[in-house]
Structure formats: structure tokens, C-alpha cells
């Protein structure tokens, strides 16, 4: 493969959304990033609520438990809010990228033995194959991670191009 190969993608927002937002990824409270923190915060909140109803039965020595659980609840709420912020920023970045794709006229992948280039309306990102650290393929998409990270839905290209790209990625990216 000494000559340069070009694959033209036909991006549709829906194809990208199916992958990016699958499995509650876009949910602020139930995404994989925030689900555990949400459940923990709810459990600690319920324990605090129960303690609040029975606080009159506490002796002065046992009242520290109420303060400790209050502190834990506050800590859980802070960690949850940080995770929600992270998911919100990710969602905003993905949406701006999808808007860019929605309006693009040219979306093509160019590669040879040494370089891999993605061109979106004249904005080219070129990487050497050694710059990529990870490659993932599934029945719905191909994903690359490295200097730049990419995800190419299978629906955005024809079957022949998808197979070729998958073979080239397997060959050039050492896991």
C-alpha cells in the first residue's frame, strides 16, 4: 500500500448520535460516569433523612453520627456535581462537533504507509500511524485514539471502504 487511498464519508448526524449517546451516555444523572455517584448520594441522603427524623432520640454522644452523615452527604453531592459538569461539557463538545459535521461538504479519510489524515471541509488533521495508541472496531463503528481521536460510523461509508479501513487500522496500529 504505497499509494495514497481516500475514503469519502457521508456523515449523518443521526448515525453519530446513535453511537455517541448510546447507553445513557448523555444522561446527566444516569450516564456511566455519574450513575454510581447518583446512587451513592441518594442512599446517603436517605440515611441522613432517617437520622433527621430520629435526631431527638440521640444522646449528645451519638449526635456526632448525624454530623458525620451530613458531611458524607455534602461530599457525595460535590462529587456528583463535578461528574455532572464533566458529562455536560462532553455533551456540549459532542453537539458542537455534530453541528460541524451536519454542515460539512467534504469529509474524507486519506492514508498511506506513513500518514493518516482526516479532512473536514479543508480542515486537515494529519497523524503518523505511531501517534495512535488504540483502535476499536465493532459492528457499528471504528474508533481511533491517539494524538487525535476519531469515531467513524459504519453507516457513513460503504461496506468495501469500511472493510478496507478496518484492515488498514489493524495492520498499522499496534495494541
Amino acid at each position: 500500500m504505497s499509494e495514497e487511498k481516500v475514503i469519502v464519508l457521508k456523515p449523518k448526524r443521526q448515525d453519530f448520535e446513535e453511537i455517541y449517546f448510546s447507553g445513557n451516555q448523555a444522561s446527566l444523572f444516569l450516564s456511566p460516569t455519574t450513575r454510581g455517584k447518583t446512587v451513592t448520594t441518594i442512599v446517603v441522603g436517605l440515611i441522613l433523612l432517617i437520622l433527621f427524623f430520629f435526631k431527638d432520640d440521640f444522646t449528645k454522644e451519638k449526635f456526632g453520627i448525624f454530623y458525620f452523615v451530613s458531611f458524607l452527604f455534602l461530599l457525595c453531592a460535590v462529587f456528583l456535581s463535578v461528574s455532572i459538569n464533566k458529562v455536560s461539557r462532553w455533551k456540549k463538545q459532542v453537539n458542537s462537533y455534530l453541528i460541524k459535521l451536519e454542515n460539512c461538504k467534504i469529509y474524507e479519510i486519506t492514508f498511506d504507509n506513513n500518514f493518516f489524515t482526516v479532512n473536514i471541509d479543508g480542515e486537515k488533521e494529519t497523524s503518523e500511524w505511531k501517534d495512535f495508541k488504540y483502535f476499536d472496531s465493532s459492528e457499528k463503528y471504528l474508533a481511533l485514539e491517539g494524538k487525535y481521536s476519531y469515531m467513524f460510523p459504519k453507516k457513513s461509508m460503504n461496506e468495501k471502504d469500511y472493510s478496507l479501513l478496518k484492515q488498514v487500522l489493524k495492520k498499522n496500529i499496534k495494541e
Side-chain angles (χ1 to χ4, degrees):
M1 183 186 74
S2 59
E3 78 275 354
E4 193 172 78
K5 302 270 192 218
V6 177
I7 295 176
V8 177
L9 281 83
K10 297 161 201 78
K12 293 181 192 147
R13 183 181 179 115
Q14 180 183 348
D15 297 342
F16 283 83
E17 283 178 342
E18 283 177 14
I19 297 164
Y20 279 125
F21 299 138
S22 66
N24 282 336
Q25 299 244 38
S27 172
L28 293 179
F29 293 100
L30 298 175
S31 75
T33 306
T34 58
R35 183 180 305 123
K37 293 174 182 80
T38 300
V39 170
T40 304
T41 303
I42 290 171
V43 168
V44 172
L46 288 173
I47 292 169
L48 182 62
L49 188 64
I50 291 168
L51 288 174
F52 182 75
F53 285 127
F54 293 108
K55 73 176 180 175
D56 295 334
D57 297 338
F58 288 164
T59 61
K60 283 194 176 216
E61 293 83 28
K62 292 186 179 180
F63 213 78
I65 295 170
F66 182 72
Y67 291 124
F68 179 71
V69 174
S70 297
F71 173 74
L72 282 180
F73 178 73
L74 181 63
L75 198 62
C76 289
V78 167
F79 282 126
L80 177 61
S81 68
V82 168
S83 291
I84 288 172
N85 187 23
K86 196 180 294 184
V87 170
S88 177
R89 278 188 280 131
W90 171 82
K91 191 174 171 181
K92 189 176 181 180
Q93 288 173 334
V94 168
N95 278 323
S96 68
Y97 176 69
L98 293 177
I99 289 169
K100 180 180 174 181
L101 285 183
E102 214 170 26
N103 300 322
C104 83
K105 307 277 186 269
I106 300 170
Y107 190 165
E108 59 188 21
I109 302 167
T110 309
F111 52 87
D112 59 22
N113 285 335
N114 301 316
F115 298 101
F116 182 87
T117 303
V118 174
N119 177 8
I120 300 175
D121 281 341
E123 288 183 38
K124 294 182 180 181
E125 294 176 341
T126 301
S127 302
E128 291 184 74
W129 286 110
K130 65 179 178 159
D131 293 337
F132 292 108
K133 308 292 183 231
Y134 176 74
F135 152 67
D136 182 29
S137 67
S138 78
E139 61 206 42
K140 292 184 175 188
Y141 64 89
L142 296 171
L144 288 162
E145 289 188 27
K147 178 180 169 185
Y148 299 108
S149 296
Y150 303 104
M151 188 275 302
F152 306 113
K154 185 176 185 177
K155 292 180 180 179
S156 294
M157 58 186 102
N158 65 43
E159 189 67 40
K160 182 181 157 198
D161 288 342
Y162 184 82
S163 298
L164 173 67
L165 184 58
K166 188 174 180 178
Q167 288 173 351
V168 169
L169 294 176
K170 279 182 183 178
K171 178 184 159 206
N172 289 306
I173 298 175
K174 313 292 187 251
E175 292 190 53

